[in-house]
């Protein structure tokens, strides 16, 4: 229903609440830049250009002082909870850098607390500095085979959620679920089509045959591409491209070649950060950094801004609400001194100034949390004896399958075969071969699953590290040199009601409580960054890891959607064949 007052202001029959004067409008719809004023009423843009008819005695005037006016930036695919910040605290952080909207599945709180958890998170965006549009997961958890979670989100839930006003489509419609005919996912896609919602894809490393089937299913876009050639195959088949760039997945420099070298028009390409941390953002910015990097790599400033705004809005069919400075859209506007060196000086959300010069204008205020969000652990005390890999008596050595971490991209995990010693029927980890134990404890009380395998790449010489923030199921993942320290780490995470710990010899070296769903906390970005450095510093300096972010790697080990290996509460997962694999290949 049209806002009657907005119409009155737009037609000049009433005065604006706010007018932005003396700006250079970056019109992402036409690609033009020209002087214009902007009239705002009830948090929306009423008129652009000559707004003298909208000016009244009580109208607030904001002087842009000749700066460029651009739309607020839109993150096309963002797992907010992977930052370990609550929605309130994350919004406070990224809005400083010009991000005023994000499309998120809120899938981590979904699998711990269900639809009510999602609704609580969406409610705290009201009146905030960043709006969140919800992509309802096609199915959750995304793990294949399916791991155990607190709340299994399935086809019957779509009957309810696809009618929620915040829902813009199906999130993380995983390629394998479509190709292998997961009936729940296909049924949810049928429902989405009837409700005029789009399916958003997750299809890394697909070949031409699989792209054809994926596009035929109706998947509209994909944020998971590892090369410009893969992007080109998808876009040729009608799938829009979202280029991901983060510290964990630095992919823009290569993938932007789709535009700069292959000559594909930029209008069907957007940007996302997917998974980011407070440390990452405070160090370099958020989508503003992505815009700067794209310009550095050869796209024009206008193209880069369009990819961060109107292109994304169009992909999600939100361009009547966000993505441009035009009448009817939310008044999400940035003041920028230079388009080549894109750094928002003033950030306006809903017509309110929320940040200036990289700082919020007001401190964030988190809502009161429900008891359900704060009580998600049903795991009793874990004994060290459960965290051992056993083989038949008499064996002196075992060949084991390991997961090998990538030191460059957290989303890539190879495999390796290593021979380890056996003592009294137990396969021994070997820090000298950089081969330590890895386990996942199911924390929701659905099973007593606690499988143990082996991982390489952490470089730990002693102790253990553990996290309950671990997409896509948020069970407790722990890596360590001794079973005793691993059990201690798991029990400490449970005692905190969720979080991350580094331990050694039965002592906590660093800890980060994450009490909300066991995955996020109401800490400011600065407080979170300090905790991240404390945890990673302990893992490096006291436990021996050489990784820049050992906890960043630990966080992603349960994701099965990305080849080649993962670890869930079901055990070691072959992410090519999607089978559970015994980590012990042979003994002698």
């Amino acid at each position: 229903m049209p806002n009657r007052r907005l119409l009155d202001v737009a037609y000049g029959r009433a005065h604006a609440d706010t007018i932005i004067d003396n700006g250079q409008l970056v019109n992402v719809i036409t690609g033009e830049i020209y002087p214009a004023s902007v009239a705002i009423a009830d948090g929306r843009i009423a008129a652009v250009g000559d707004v003298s008819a909208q000016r009244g005695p009580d109208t607030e005037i904001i002087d842009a002082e000749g700066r460029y006016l651009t739309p607020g930036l839109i993150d096309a695919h963002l797992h907010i909870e992977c930052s370990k910040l609550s929605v309130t605290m994350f919004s406070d952080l990224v809005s400083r850098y010009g991000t005023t909207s994000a499309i998120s599945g809120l899938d981590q709180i979904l699998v711990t607390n269900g639809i009510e958890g999602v609704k609580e998170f969406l409610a705290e965006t009201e009146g905030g500095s960043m709006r969140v549009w919800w992509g309802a997961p096609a199915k959750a958890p995304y793990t294949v085979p399916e791991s155990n979670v607190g709340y299994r989100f399935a086809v019957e839930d779509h009957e309810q959620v696809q009618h929620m006003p915040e829902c813009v489509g199906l999130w993380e419609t995983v390629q394998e679920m479509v190709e292998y005919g997961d009936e729940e996912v296909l049924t949810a896609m049928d429902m989405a089509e009837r409700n005029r919602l789009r399916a958003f894809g997750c299809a890394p490393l697909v070949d031409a045959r699989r792209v054809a089937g994926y596009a035929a299913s109706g998947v509209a876009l994909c944020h998971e591409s590892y090369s410009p050639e893969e992007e080109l195959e998808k876009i040729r088949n009608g799938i829009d491209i979202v280029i991901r760039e983060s510290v964990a997945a630095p992919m823009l420099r290569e993938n932007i070649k789709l535009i700069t070298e292959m000559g594909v028009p930029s209008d069907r390409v957007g940007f996302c950060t997917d998974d980011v941390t407070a440390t990452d953002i405070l160090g370099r910015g958020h989508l503003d950094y992505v815009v700067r990097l794209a310009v550095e790599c050869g796209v024009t400033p206008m193209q880069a801004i369009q990819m961060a705004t109107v292109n994304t809005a169009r992909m999600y069919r939100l361009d009547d609400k966000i993505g441009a400075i035009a009448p009817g859209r939310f008044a999400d506007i940035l003041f920028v001194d230079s388009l080549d060196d894109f750094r928002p000086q003033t950030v306006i959300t809903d017509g309110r100034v929320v940040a200036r010069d990289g700082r919020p204008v007001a401190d964030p205020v988190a809502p009161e949390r429900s008891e359900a969000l704060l009580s998600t652990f049903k795991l009793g005390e874990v004994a060290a004896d459960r965290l051992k890999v056993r083989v038949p008596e008499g064996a002196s050595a075992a060949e084991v399958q390991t997961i090998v971490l990538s030191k460059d991209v957290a989303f890539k995990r190879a495999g390796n075969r290593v021979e380890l010693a056996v003592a009294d029927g137990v396969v021994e980890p070997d820090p000298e071969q950089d081969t330590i134990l890895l386990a996942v404890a199911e924390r929701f009380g659905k099973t007593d699953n606690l499988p143990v395998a082996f991982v390489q790449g952490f470089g730990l010489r002693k102790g253990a590290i553990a996290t309950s923030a671990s997409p896509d199921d948020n069970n407790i993942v722990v890596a360590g040199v001794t079973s005793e320290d691993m059990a201690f780490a798991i029990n400490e995470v449970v005692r905190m009601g969720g979080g991350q710990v580094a331990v050694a010899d039965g002592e906590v070296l660093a800890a980060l409580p994450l009490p909300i769903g066991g995955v996020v906390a109401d800490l400011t970005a600065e407080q979170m960054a300090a905790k991240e450095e404390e945890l990673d510093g302990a893992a490096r300096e006291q436990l021996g890891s050489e990784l820049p972010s050992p906890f960043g790697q630990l966080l992603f080990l349960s994701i099965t959607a990305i080849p080649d290996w993962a670890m869930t509460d079901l055990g070691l997962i072959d992410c090519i064949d999607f089978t559970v694999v015994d980590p012990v290949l042979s003994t002698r």
Side-chain angles (χ1 to χ4, degrees):
M1 181 180 296
N3 180 313
R4 293 339 191 236
R5 181 167 180 274
L6 179 66
L7 290 179
D8 284 341
V9 175
Y11 281 114
R13 298 189 296 247
H15 296 146
D17 299 326
T18 304
I19 286 177
I20 299 171
D21 268 340
N22 195 23
Q24 292 289 319
L25 180 74
V26 178
N27 191 319
V28 293
I29 298 172
T30 64
E32 301 171 279
I33 300 173
Y34 51 86
S37 296
V38 181
I40 299 168
D42 292 346
R44 293 197 181 231
I45 297 166
V48 180
D50 179 0
V51 298
S52 55
Q54 285 78 18
R55 194 180 305 263
D58 298 323
T59 300
E60 177 190 14
I61 307 299
I62 300 177
D63 187 354
E65 299 178 339
R67 295 184 175 91
Y68 296 101
L69 308 181
T70 79
L73 307 181
I74 309 166
D75 198 319
H77 185 98
L78 178 65
H79 296 270
I80 293 174
E81 303 98 315
C82 287
S83 70
K84 305 181 296 297
L85 294 167
S86 67
V87 172
T88 295
M89 297 302 175
F90 186 85
S91 300
D92 170 73
L93 171 59
V94 298
S95 62
R96 309 176 197 180
Y97 302 97
T99 302
T100 57
S101 287
I103 296 88
S104 180
L106 298 177
D107 35 15
Q108 307 313 310
I109 202 63
L110 177 64
V111 296
T112 65
N113 288 87
I115 298 169
E116 292 307 310
V118 169
K119 288 180 177 178
E120 286 196 46
F121 274 29
L122 289 171
E124 69 181 281
T125 68
E126 296 176 11
S129 54
M130 182 187 78
R131 70 187 80 255
V132 176
W133 306 93
W134 185 44
K139 177 182 177 180
Y142 312 126
T143 46
V144 182
E146 189 174 300
S147 52
N148 291 284
V149 293
Y151 187 90
R152 184 179 185 275
F153 184 78
V155 65
E156 58 269 18
D157 295 304
H158 281 276
E159 295 281 359
Q160 171 188 348
V161 303
Q162 288 192 20
H163 298 287
M164 290 172 56
E166 301 91 346
C167 183
V168 294
L170 301 195
W171 179 265
E172 298 280 20
T173 310
V174 176
Q175 145 67 31
E176 287 74 20
M177 293 177 178
V178 177
E179 181 176 6
Y180 300 131
D182 186 306
E183 275 303 318
E184 287 187 302
V185 171
L186 296 181
T187 300
M189 293 175 76
D190 289 339
M191 293 169 54
E193 184 176 10
R194 291 195 298 272
N195 291 323
R196 299 187 60 79
L197 298 175
R198 311 184 88 185
F200 316 133
C202 174
L205 304 171
V206 296
D207 57 39
R209 177 188 60 82
R210 299 176 81 194
V211 169
Y214 207 43
S217 76
V219 166
L221 58 88
C222 185
H223 72 286
E224 282 280 4
S225 299
Y226 282 74
S227 70
E229 291 77 18
E230 182 183 350
E231 291 176 322
L232 181 62
E233 192 66 42
K234 289 172 181 173
I235 205 164
R236 280 175 169 172
N237 280 271
I239 298 173
D240 289 347
I241 296 300
V242 176
I243 296 178
R244 176 172 61 191
E245 174 63 30
S246 68
V247 171
M251 295 179 169
L252 186 142
R253 286 188 184 277
E254 182 65 19
N255 286 355
I256 201 71
K257 292 176 183 176
L258 176 73
I259 298 166
T260 59
E261 295 184 11
M262 294 179 173
V264 172
S266 62
D267 60 330
R268 295 188 63 181
V269 180
F271 292 142
C272 79
T273 60
D274 203 355
D275 300 290
V276 287
T277 68
T279 299
D280 300 342
I281 296 169
L282 289 171
R284 67 181 193 176
H286 190 230
L287 282 176
D288 62 319
Y289 167 78
V290 180
V291 170
R292 293 195 299 273
L293 182 60
V295 172
E296 179 187 324
C297 290
V299 303
T300 68
M302 180 63 77
Q303 286 177 308
I305 295 165
Q306 287 169 328
M307 285 188 277
T309 58
V310 70
N311 291 8
T312 296
R314 285 174 179 155
M315 288 182 195
Y316 287 95
R317 296 177 176 169
L318 291 168
D319 51 311
D320 61 328
K321 297 178 175 64
I322 56 175
I325 300 176
R329 280 72 173 175
F330 287 109
D332 301 342
I333 300 169
L334 312 181
F335 297 179
V336 181
D337 288 312
S338 167
L339 299 185
D340 293 301
D341 185 30
F342 191 92
R343 299 175 191 273
Q345 184 270 340
T346 297
V347 180
I348 295 173
T349 302
D350 279 342
R352 298 172 289 107
V353 176
V354 297
R356 284 195 179 94
D357 297 319
R359 301 296 306 169
V361 298
D363 293 334
V365 179
E368 185 176 347
R369 301 298 176 181
S370 70
E371 181 59 30
L373 285 179
L374 301 175
S375 302
T376 60
F377 284 78
K378 298 179 181 177
L379 177 64
E381 185 167 354
V382 171
D385 195 54
R386 296 187 62 193
L387 292 156
K388 299 179 185 294
V389 177
R390 302 184 186 278
V391 295
E393 292 290 342
S396 60
E399 184 183 32
V400 303
Q401 175 68 56
T402 70
I403 298 176
V404 181
L405 304 180
S406 165
K407 289 182 169 56
D408 300 316
V409 180
F411 297 109
K412 287 186 176 181
R413 297 181 296 270
N416 191 23
R417 296 186 173 201
V418 177
E419 185 171 286
L420 297 174
V422 174
D424 299 323
V426 175
V427 183
E428 299 287 330
D430 186 357
E432 295 302 320
Q433 295 189 73
D434 189 17
T435 305
I436 61 174
L437 296 166
L438 177 68
V440 177
E442 195 269 282
R443 68 164 168 112
F444 300 103
K446 304 296 177 69
T447 70
D448 62 352
N449 290 353
L450 185 52
V452 186
F454 298 92
V455 64
Q456 294 182 286
F458 277 112
L460 300 189
R461 310 294 295 183
K462 65 176 184 176
I465 58 176
T467 180
S468 62
S470 178
D472 291 315
D473 47 29
N474 295 296
N475 287 307
I476 301 174
V477 181
V478 58
V481 176
T482 70
S483 300
E484 290 74 19
D485 275 331
M486 292 172 72
F488 179 69
I490 291 172
N491 294 331
E492 185 62 19
V493 168
V494 175
R495 186 195 66 77
M496 291 191 299
Q500 298 181 326
V501 293
V503 306
D505 302 322
E507 177 186 355
V508 175
L509 306 178
L512 166 62
L514 299 172
I516 305 168
V519 293
V520 300
D522 282 322
L523 298 179
T524 66
E526 288 77 10
Q527 290 169 331
M528 182 63 73
K531 282 292 186 182
E532 288 172 346
E533 177 53 36
E534 181 184 351
L535 283 160
D536 282 330
R540 291 192 302 264
E541 296 158 20
Q542 295 174 266
L543 304 184
S545 178
E546 296 181 356
L547 291 173
S549 178
F551 279 88
Q553 291 277 5
L554 189 70
L555 189 98
F556 296 120
L557 277 172
S558 292
I559 298 176
T560 65
I562 300 170
D564 290 338
W565 295 91
M567 184 76 176
T568 74
D569 77 297
L570 303 182
L572 180 64
I573 307 297
D574 179 335
C575 300
I576 303 297
D577 295 331
F578 295 99
T579 55
V580 180
V581 175
D582 189 332
V584 179
L585 302 171
S586 63
T587 60
R588 63 173 178 83

